[in-house]
Amino acid sequence: MLKYSIHLRKTMICAVCMTLCIILPLAFHLIPDGGTLFSPMHLPVFICGLVCGWQYGLLCGLLGPVLSSFLTGMPSIGYLPTMMLELALYGLISGLLIHLLHTKNRTADIYLSLVSAMLLGRIITGIARAFLFAPGSLSIQIWATSYFVSCLPGIIAQLILLPIIYYALAHAKLLPPK
């Protein structure tokens, strides 16, 4: 019975995170360049991976952008595959690492998981974009600018907010048992 309860809780959290993948971009796009600067869809995917594990993080990263695209037009169909890959990697890697890392310091585990997922997701997506999605249109300079510089406010916000949200969920006893 406990196994089903944990699965149900993770499924519900994943569903909430996918819903936030639709709502947050709508809110942030009210701010000029808010979607580009803050990458609002990344927050719920990281939360899903950290809280529910890699399977749910992967699912949220794949389906969140698809649902958002079909319901709101964001991201556009042309950018959707790149966004799906990037977010799926974020959910997968953050979920795997939070499970595998055991530094005896939960905050360190969270930051190591987040930073590793952010770096690996951006590197792998950049490679895929350069060779699969838009061959010949991506230079190192364009990649660095679009994946690190222009979204720096979002990266900083994620590094500040995600541990706070994680600990708030833990304090409220809303995290599924490990």
Side-chain angles (χ1 to χ4, degrees):
M1 187 66 162
L2 180 63
K3 182 179 178 181
Y4 296 112
S5 173
I6 293 168
H7 179 69
L8 179 61
R9 184 177 289 190
K10 288 181 178 184
T11 301
M12 290 172 53
I13 291 169
C14 185
V16 168
C17 288
M18 282 193 272
T19 303
L20 288 171
C21 283
I22 299 165
I23 296 169
L24 288 177
L26 287 173
F28 276 87
H29 279 280
L30 295 174
I31 303 165
D33 294 325
T36 303
L37 288 173
F38 295 106
S39 306
M41 204 177 290
H42 297 191
L43 284 168
V45 173
F46 278 124
I47 287 295
C48 191
L50 291 172
V51 168
C52 300
W54 70 268
Q55 305 94 326
Y56 293 91
L58 176 66
L59 183 67
C60 183
L62 286 172
L63 293 182
V66 171
L67 293 170
S68 181
S69 181
F70 287 131
L71 294 172
T72 70
M74 296 180 293
S76 65
I77 294 294
Y79 192 64
L80 182 61
T82 304
M83 190 82 161
M84 288 172 62
L85 175 63
E86 182 179 13
L87 293 178
L89 287 166
Y90 290 160
L92 170 72
I93 296 167
S94 65
L96 271 175
L97 291 179
I98 198 71
H99 177 71
L100 295 174
L101 293 172
H102 301 288
T103 64
K104 298 187 178 151
N105 182 331
R106 197 60 172 166
T107 303
D109 293 346
I110 292 168
Y111 276 110
L112 286 169
S113 299
L114 284 174
V115 171
S116 298
M118 287 177 181
L119 289 172
L120 287 170
R122 283 172 167 81
I123 290 168
I124 295 168
T125 303
I127 292 168
R129 191 170 159 204
F131 293 106
L132 298 175
F133 299 130
S137 68
L138 192 67
S139 68
I140 292 291
Q141 189 173 28
I142 293 171
W143 170 76
T145 301
S146 63
Y147 282 90
F148 293 98
V149 177
S150 63
C151 60
L152 189 59
I155 293 170
I156 293 167
Q158 290 162 18
L159 291 173
I160 293 168
L161 292 174
L162 289 166
I164 292 170
I165 294 168
Y166 184 91
Y167 282 117
L169 291 171
H171 182 70
K173 298 185 182 354
L174 294 174
L175 293 184
K178 296 262 177 237

